[in-house]
Amino acid sequence: MVSSSSLVEMPDNILNEILAYCDFKDILSIRKVCRSLQHFIDDVFPESTLKDLNISIHPKKVCLDYFSVHNTPYIIEYHKTFGNHCMVKCQTTIKVIENSNFLDVFLRDLEIVLMHQKSLIRLKRIVRYEDNSFEYFLENFKKLLHRPLKIEEFHMYVKDNQNEILAVLPHLDPQSIIGISLYQYGEDPKNLEIGEIVKLEHWKRSEQLHVDKCILKMNVRDLANFSLVDISMTSVSAEEMMVLKEKLLYHPLLAEIYIRCTRFDDKQQFLESLGIKEVSSELYGIARRIWHLEIPNSDDVLRISYRSQNNSFAFNRIQGSDVSDHAEVLN
């Protein structure tokens, strides 16, 4: 007769081998079997292998949507039910955890995952659909981390307060981040002050910046380290734009800096400083004024274009051979 052994009775080395073949959701399930397995897993938990991590916070539900390094998608939902119970749903599996707040259950599971995530996460996105639950998440986020989280791209939905971003971004590893994306929570664009965010090492090391529906209150000079930017700003000055232009002339990895300005009182001063050798053209029926500036010690050219319809500027580094024959490169 063949005898069988439960997981609890197995030697540690055998149990470690078994856990090495388990995915994140399987580990969480095994951990909830009994206290013995819970303590064992917390001590020797194998490395988490998340690649993309998306957190969506609703009034009575939290969704943890992620991809593993094997490109396997998973969605785990934490629901608030009657009687202060939490229902956890993963694919077709449903489990009810009695007398437990759904946010606390989610936060405990997330802490376990992030505690053992050593490899780089490509993308982390935090989406909000409700204020109170979102604020509770922000208050507890830093408590989940046992080390700065390594993330390449950081995406977050915000209202009009930089403190929401400051509750998360400083706790990420500044050495790994290359992109920051901010999205407005709600329909109408709102002004967003980011004076403290631009001081962070994360901002200074990042290469890409995308902001949707938020109108940033900041100094345009703080964009000089980015290679790719798409933003709207409350106001800019000719002096700030001239400083930015000079810095971009020496930016070897510049792709495009695209800025929409709500207010630019001394705009004509900046346009005149670019020189009179401009070229007019149309793109999708929108008129543009274009200048080409010589980049020192390079065959490349800095192209600056301006569209009056939406008061926007674009700075691009292009090859000199891409400049049209009827355009002149200014030195």
Side-chain angles (χ1 to χ4, degrees):
M1 182 175 179
V2 179
S3 62
S4 62
S5 298
S6 68
L7 285 175
V8 177
E9 297 171 330
M10 290 184 178
D12 289 355
N13 61 330
I14 301 298
L15 190 52
N16 272 325
E17 289 293 326
I18 294 174
L19 292 177
Y21 286 94
C22 294
D23 198 88
F24 153 60
K25 69 179 182 63
D26 300 318
I27 295 289
L28 292 182
S29 298
I30 296 172
R31 186 179 178 275
K32 292 181 173 68
V33 170
C34 66
R35 289 190 178 276
S36 177
L37 285 174
Q38 176 182 331
H39 294 321
F40 180 83
I41 288 174
D42 288 348
D43 289 338
V44 299
F45 197 98
E47 181 181 348
S48 301
T49 55
L50 302 186
K51 186 172 72 172
D52 291 359
L53 179 62
N54 299 282
I55 299 171
S56 302
I57 302 175
H58 304 256
K60 296 182 180 181
K61 178 180 72 173
V62 178
C63 294
L64 182 58
D65 178 358
Y66 73 95
F67 279 82
S68 71
V69 292
H70 308 295
N71 289 325
T72 305
Y74 293 103
I75 299 178
I76 303 178
E77 298 179 358
Y78 301 80
H79 294 259
K80 179 181 180 180
T81 63
F82 294 108
N84 195 34
H85 303 323
C86 172
M87 181 181 73
V88 182
K89 180 180 180 182
C90 181
Q91 271 77 19
T92 58
T93 303
I94 295 177
K95 181 176 182 179
V96 175
I97 303 176
E98 297 182 350
N99 301 317
S100 298
N101 181 284
F102 75 108
L103 286 170
D104 290 333
V105 176
F106 155 72
L107 289 169
R108 283 198 298 269
D109 283 354
L110 184 62
E111 179 181 13
I112 295 168
V113 177
L114 298 184
M115 182 190 307
H116 299 276
Q117 178 73 29
K118 299 177 183 178
S119 59
L120 182 67
I121 298 177
R122 188 191 65 170
L123 180 147
K124 176 183 174 69
R125 180 182 287 109
I126 304 174
V127 185
R128 70 192 295 166
Y129 293 96
E130 193 266 344
D131 286 340
N132 292 334
S133 296
F134 188 76
E135 291 171 2
Y136 188 78
F137 167 77
L138 294 181
E139 291 172 2
N140 289 275
F141 178 76
K142 66 179 180 181
K143 302 175 185 177
L144 309 178
L145 302 179
H146 296 255
R147 67 177 69 84
L149 195 58
K150 296 180 180 180
I151 290 176
E152 282 191 335
E153 298 180 28
F154 171 68
H155 298 244
M156 184 171 178
Y157 283 71
V158 298
K159 271 195 169 180
D160 53 1
N161 191 335
Q162 66 176 331
N163 289 334
E164 295 178 348
I165 305 166
L166 292 171
V168 179
L169 189 57
H171 305 292
L172 308 181
D173 185 355
Q175 305 290 332
S176 61
I177 194 164
I178 62 172
I180 298 173
S181 295
L182 304 175
Y183 307 90
Q184 173 65 43
Y185 170 66
E187 296 297 326
D188 300 325
K190 294 182 181 178
N191 293 344
L192 178 64
E193 168 66 56
I194 60 169
E196 294 303 314
I197 295 173
V198 300
K199 298 177 183 178
L200 297 176
E201 194 67 19
H202 308 69
W203 178 277
K204 297 173 183 178
R205 286 182 173 273
S206 186
E207 302 169 6
Q208 303 172 15
L209 175 66
H210 173 78
V211 180
D212 183 37
K213 290 187 178 180
C214 297
I215 304 174
L216 301 184
K217 299 173 67 176
M218 57 173 292
N219 193 313
V220 73
R221 303 178 191 181
D222 291 318
L223 298 173
N225 59 287
F226 290 93
S227 59
L228 185 63
V229 171
D230 184 1
I231 64 168
S232 297
M233 294 184 59
T234 55
S235 64
V236 297
S237 69
E239 180 184 2
E240 291 173 358
M241 292 291 277
M242 285 188 275
V243 171
L244 177 64
K245 179 202 72 175
E246 291 301 317
K247 289 185 177 181
L248 294 180
L249 283 171
Y250 296 91
H251 193 323
L253 301 179
L254 172 65
E256 180 176 48
I257 307 291
Y258 182 64
I259 306 170
R260 293 169 294 276
C261 313
T262 301
R263 181 175 177 179
F264 194 165
D265 292 336
D266 48 0
K267 173 179 60 185
Q268 195 57 37
Q269 178 184 346
F270 175 66
L271 296 178
E272 292 175 356
S273 74
L274 297 176
I276 60 174
K277 300 296 185 180
E278 62 183 80
V279 178
S280 297
S281 70
E282 280 196 7
L283 182 65
Y284 307 119
I286 300 177
R288 297 187 302 168
R289 298 167 64 183
I290 303 174
W291 294 261
H292 297 90
L293 307 181
E294 182 181 273
I295 294 179
N297 305 314
S298 174
D299 294 330
D300 292 342
V301 170
L302 178 64
R303 181 174 65 189
I304 303 175
S305 61
Y306 167 66
R307 301 176 184 176
S308 59
Q309 288 87 342
N310 59 353
N311 209 28
S312 66
F313 287 87
F315 298 81
N316 301 78
R317 187 183 181 110
I318 64 173
Q319 295 181 349
S321 57
D322 292 335
V323 178
S324 59
D325 295 335
H326 61 279
E328 184 175 341
V329 178
L330 304 173
N331 54 31

